[in-house]
Amino acid sequence: MLKVTREQTSPAPQQSRPLPYDAVALVLQGGGALGAYQAGVYEGLHEAGIRPNWLAGISIGALNAAIIAGSPEGERVQRLREFWETICAFSIEWPAGEGLANALPFAFDINSLRNAMAAARALVQGQPGFFKPRFPSPLWSPFSGDAATSFYDTAPLLKTLERLVDFDRLNSGDVRVSVGAVNVRTGNLTYFDTAERRLGPKHFMASGALPPGFPAVEIEGEHYWDGGVVSNTPLSRVLSGEPRDTLTFQIDLWSARGRVPYDLMEVSSRQKDIQYSSRTRSVTDQVLRMQKMRQALQRTMQELPESAKAKPEIRAIADMACHRAYNIVHLIYQSKTYEGHSRDYEFGLSAMRRHWQNGLDDIRRTLADPGRLDPPSPELGIVTHDIHRRD
C-alpha cells in the first residue's frame, strides 16, 4: 500500500462555501488515464471550499466519484491521490531518462518516450490495483465467459475499491452519486443512482467495463459494459431530472474540436476524440428550450382568472413553470502534442502527475473570476463558462 506524504495531500480544507443553488454537481467523463485531470480539478474545488452534493460519472469518472463520495470530507483529496498513485505505479520502472533519449539516433520528446513506454507496459503487464492480463489470451482461451470475452481481469480493481471506498458513507445520502453503464442485452444506457438504490463496487466497475479490454459485470442477472459505449458524459442525467437551480462543473477528457489528421496514428486519436467527447451543446439547447417553455407558461398563467389558478392541475403546471437557473462551468482537458492515440492508457506516474496539475491549474484559473459562479439572468436561465474558449 502506497503512503501519501504530507506534500501530496491537499491544503487544509476550507469551510464549505455557500452557493445560491439547490444542486452543485460534478460531472465526470470517461477517459482512462486522463482521469487524473478530474482529480486535480476536484482538489481545486476542495481547496476553494466548494463541496458538490451530486456526483455523476462514467467509466474513470465513476471511479473518481466513488473515491470522493466514499471518503471523509477531509480525506477526499488524499484518497484520490492514493488511488491514482496506486493504479499508475509499477514495481519495475522502465528507463526513460534524458540519457536514453539522447542515445536515440533521432530526435524524440522525452515525454512521448515515457508515455509510449507506459502505454506498452499497461498493454503487456496491466496496472497494479486495476487490471491484469489474462493467460491464456481470450483469442486462444479454451474457456467461456469472462476468460473468452476480455483481455484483462479487473479483480485487482475490486480490491482497490473495497480498500479505499467506504460504501456505507457513499450510500448515506450526504452526496448523491449517479454512474452510467450499458446493458449488454438491451443496449440501453442505465444509471445506477444512490437516490434509487444502494451502490456497491460492482456498479462502479460496470461503468468502467470497456470491451473488449474488460469483462462485462453482472448485476442482478444483467450484464453491463462501460457507459461510454453509448454516451460518455452524464450531463443529461443532472439537467433532465426534477427542475432545480443547478451549478454544474462538467469535467471532460476529450475535445470535440480538433485538426484534420495527417497520418493513421492521428486518425485513431481523432476518432477517439469525436467518439468520446460530450455533446454539451445539444444538452444545453434542450435545457434552453425548456427554459423558454417555462417562461411562456408563466406568461400564460398570469392571464388566467384567479378561479382557474386554484385548480390542482393548474397549480401543477405552475410548479413546472417556476424559473430555474442553470450554470455550467465546462472544463476540457487539452491534449498535448506529445500525446497520441494511447493517451487514455498511458498510466505512467509522470503523465498522471502532469494531468493532475493541469486540472488543478485550470480550475484555479476558472475560480479566479468569482462571477463565473453567479446564476444567469432570468431572461437566459442558463449560462456556460469555459476558460479555453470565450464565455
Side-chain angles (χ1 to χ4, degrees), residues 324-344:
R324 294 292 182 261
Y326 298 95
N327 184 346
I328 301 172
V329 178
H330 192 189
L331 276 70
I332 307 174
Y333 174 72
Q334 305 296 298
S335 61
K336 310 301 184 290
T337 56
Y338 53 79
E339 294 176 327
H341 71 100
S342 62
R343 60 186 180 276
D344 54 326

Side-chain angles (χ1 to χ4, degrees), residues 48 83 95 97 122 129 144 147 206 225 262 350 361 367 369 376:
F83 171 72
S144 60
W225 275 335
Y262 62 85
S350 58
D361 292 342
L367 299 179
D369 179 359

Side-chain angles (χ1 to χ4, degrees), residues 20 105 114 137 140 263 283 371 376 378 391:
R114 286 197 182 100
S137 164
W140 299 283
D263 60 26
V283 176
D391 287 343

Side-chain angles (χ1 to χ4, degrees), residues 295-306 309:
Q295 293 169 356
L297 284 174
Q298 287 174 351
R299 291 191 296 268
T300 302
M301 294 288 295
Q302 292 172 359
E303 297 178 2
L304 292 176
E306 292 301 321
K309 294 179 181 179

Side-chain angles (χ1 to χ4, degrees), residues 208-219:
L210 184 65
F214 300 156
V217 176
E218 183 177 358
I219 299 174

Side-chain angles (χ1 to χ4, degrees), residues 91-113:
S91 57
I92 301 176
E93 284 294 329
W94 292 10
E98 297 293 343
L100 178 60
N102 293 335
L104 293 173
F106 50 86
F108 207 102
D109 181 87
I110 187 64
N111 290 320
S112 297
L113 183 58

Side-chain angles (χ1 to χ4, degrees), residues 144-193:
S144 60
D146 292 351
T149 57
S150 59
F151 286 95
Y152 300 96
D153 181 357
T154 53
L157 176 59
L158 176 61
K159 294 181 180 179
T160 298
L161 291 175
E162 291 176 337
R163 177 170 62 87
L164 292 178
V165 179
D166 180 345
F167 284 93
D168 288 334
R169 181 184 297 275
L170 185 148
N171 288 283
S172 67
D174 291 341
V175 178
R176 180 176 177 179
V177 182
S178 309
V179 295
V182 176
N183 186 307
V184 179
R185 181 180 60 83
T186 66
N188 293 329
L189 180 65
T190 299
Y191 278 98
F192 302 120
D193 198 315

Side-chain angles (χ1 to χ4, degrees), residues 242-263:
E242 178 185 350
R244 67 191 76 189
D245 294 342
T246 304
L247 170 63
T248 301
F249 293 93
Q250 179 186 340
I251 318 303
D252 288 356
L253 304 177
W254 306 93
S255 177
R257 292 174 178 263
R259 69 182 185 185
V260 176
Y262 62 85
D263 60 26

